[in-house]
């Protein structure tokens, strides 16, 4: 693309109408992951909310980060996870992305988003112990996390770091080399505030080294050494 | 999908061979954004590196976060941005994703990844002042940021918070309501460590409210009120 470009400086961005600015700035990071956060309150009542801000932090130990908006009265998922120390993430996929988006509505205290939007809580158990937060039954990739840290960001958002306690996914999604096929999972990618996408894999590329050309593979199952 | 599932607990994840674990855990967050970080050292020598960890933090003020691996000898982009206080992000798109991936090779000190992989530095200027970090000429969406904070994470990774100073994109990507069309931009999404995807938009969904059904629009230019 080499057609005309448009530029904004920080004053120009700040001067935009609030919703236009929100839609534009939310588009700038590129595609965002689509996950449902699952939590439960002290009575075990399930809650969930859509997040587009999950980021990989490390694989040994296995850590993910999630940005939450500044805690307010309606932030019951954030409150639940700080109280219970546990939350889940479930990939949002094509068959239920509209229900997942609808969880972002501000339901009254005491209304479970699961019930309101028609999703089913899944309670992971291990050695007879039920994990303290529900995941989403409909999702092909579900992750249970313990709150490992909770950082306050300069704009009052919270950056919650979760240590992965368990993961559970559809077996056939995994290649021999460990990779999960998110295309086959129908995992969605978010653009801006409200656009939902499916993906088409162009290639898997080999580990980059300075003195070696990249190798590109289209057969994901073959994997890498 | 309702075929057989497989589960790992944290001990099972830790027991996996290192590369298998890395490929699996890197797949768990869902699709990741694909950006090139651009920096310059004190002499103005350009450097860049691939990142899949950019996350939206807020739009007023406009803030993005980027996770960097624990700083080591080869982390010259991280060192550059801490010294200059500036960095850029450029969307990685279909025409140059292989060159972008190749920037992750460990080039010797003094070798510019731009030159090594064949990408062209773009120096944004405003009122005759050149921004202290180069972006990528080939990219349809480029962002200049000032380091606003630099948090140490429990696993020694860094979470760099950038305040957007300028943005510059192909004009026709923007809808009237502010949204940028990442599909038209050919912005890519990453799965795992090495899989690159283009996206197909399924829908834009209206702002969710408890008492109102969602509206789905396929015509992105129409936008929302």
């Amino acid at each position: 693309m080499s057609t005309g470009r448009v530029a904004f400086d920080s004053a120009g961005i700040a001067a935009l109408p609030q919703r236009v600015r929100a839609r534009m700035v939310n588009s700038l990071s590129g595609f965002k992951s689509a996950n449902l956060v699952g939590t439960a309150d002290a009575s075990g009542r399930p809650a969930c909310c859509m997040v587009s801000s999950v980021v990989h932090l490390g694989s040994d130990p296995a850590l993910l980060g999630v940005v939450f908006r500044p805690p307010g009265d309606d932030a019951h998922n954030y409150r639940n996870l700080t109280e219970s120390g546990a939350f889940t993430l479930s990939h949002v996929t094509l068959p239920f992305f509209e229900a997942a988006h609808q969880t972002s509505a501000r339901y009254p205290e005491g209304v479970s988003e699961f019930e309101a939007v028609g999703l089913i809580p899944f309670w992971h158990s291990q050695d007879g112990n039920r994990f303290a937060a529900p995941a989403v039954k409909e999702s092909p990739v579900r992750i249970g996390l313990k709150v490992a840290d909770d950082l306050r960001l300069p704009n009052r958002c919270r950056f919650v770091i979760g240590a992965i306690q368990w993961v559970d996914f559809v077996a056939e999604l995994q290649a021999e080399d460990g990779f999960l096929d998110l295309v086959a999972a129908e995992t969605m990618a978010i653009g801006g505030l409200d656009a939902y996408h499916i993906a088409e894999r162009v290639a898997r590329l080999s580990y980059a080294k300075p003195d070696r050309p990249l190798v590109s593979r289209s057969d994901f199952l073959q994997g890498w050494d």
Side-chain angles (χ1 to χ4, degrees), chain A residues 37-40 77 80-88 131-133 144-147:
Chain A
V37 167
T39 64
N77 280 282
N80 286 349
L81 71 85
T82 58
E83 289 174 5
S84 71
F87 65 106
T88 66
F131 193 68
L145 305 104
K146 182 175 71 180
V147 176

Side-chain angles (χ1 to χ4, degrees), chain A residues 20-30 32 52 69 190-194:
Chain A
V20 172
R21 179 176 57 237
R23 292 193 192 95
M24 184 175 97
V25 178
N26 269 277
S27 303
L28 294 179
S29 58
K32 302 190 274 194
S52 61
R69 298 169 63 86
I190 295 178
L193 281 170
D194 58 26

Side-chain angles (χ1 to χ4, degrees), chain A residues 3-216:
Chain A
T3 44
R5 300 182 75 110
V6 60
F8 293 87
D9 62 12
S10 51
I13 294 172
L16 290 169
Q18 185 252 328
R19 290 190 170 193
V20 172
R21 179 176 57 237
R23 292 193 192 95
M24 184 175 97
V25 178
N26 269 277
S27 303
L28 294 179
S29 58
F31 285 108
K32 302 190 274 194
S33 54
N35 286 283
L36 281 168
V37 167
T39 64
D41 67 12
S43 317
R45 283 183 301 192
C48 66
C49 66
M50 184 80 194
V51 289
S52 61
S53 59
V54 176
V55 65
H56 172 84
L57 296 180
S59 48
D60 187 24
L63 297 175
L64 299 176
V66 191
V67 179
F68 286 89
R69 298 169 63 86
D73 290 344
D74 61 333
H76 50 286
N77 280 282
Y78 175 74
R79 194 169 61 235
N80 286 349
L81 71 85
T82 58
E83 289 174 5
S84 71
F87 65 106
T88 66
L89 294 169
S90 300
H91 282 202
V92 171
T93 59
L94 186 60
F96 67 93
F97 78 98
E98 285 152 312
H101 185 77
Q102 182 64 29
T103 64
S104 59
R106 297 186 182 194
Y107 289 102
E109 186 79 32
V111 171
S112 163
E113 295 90 352
F114 280 101
E115 261 185 60
V117 308
L119 293 170
I120 301 173
F122 165 80
W123 296 91
H124 179 84
S125 276
Q126 197 176 312
D127 307 327
N129 296 315
R130 196 172 88 157
F131 193 68
V136 177
K137 189 173 192 321
E138 289 81 355
S139 178
V141 182
R142 304 187 284 236
I143 311 159
L145 305 104
K146 182 175 71 180
V147 176
D149 220 323
D150 178 3
L151 307 174
R152 188 183 194 276
L153 301 182
N155 65 350
R156 296 181 49 247
C157 285
R158 307 301 305 211
F159 188 57
V160 173
I161 298 177
I164 298 181
Q165 304 299 294
W166 55 266
V167 55
D168 141 25
F169 52 82
V170 172
E172 69 193 24
L173 296 177
Q174 191 166 37
E176 278 178 37
D177 71 350
F179 176 76
L180 300 188
D181 185 346
L182 302 181
V183 175
E186 298 185 315
T187 296
M188 301 198 83
I190 295 178
L193 281 170
D194 58 26
Y196 288 82
H197 306 77
I198 52 174
E200 178 190 335
R201 188 168 46 251
V202 177
R204 290 186 67 188
L205 298 180
S206 58
Y207 189 80
K209 295 198 172 185
D211 52 357
R212 187 177 75 173
L214 288 175
V215 180
S216 174

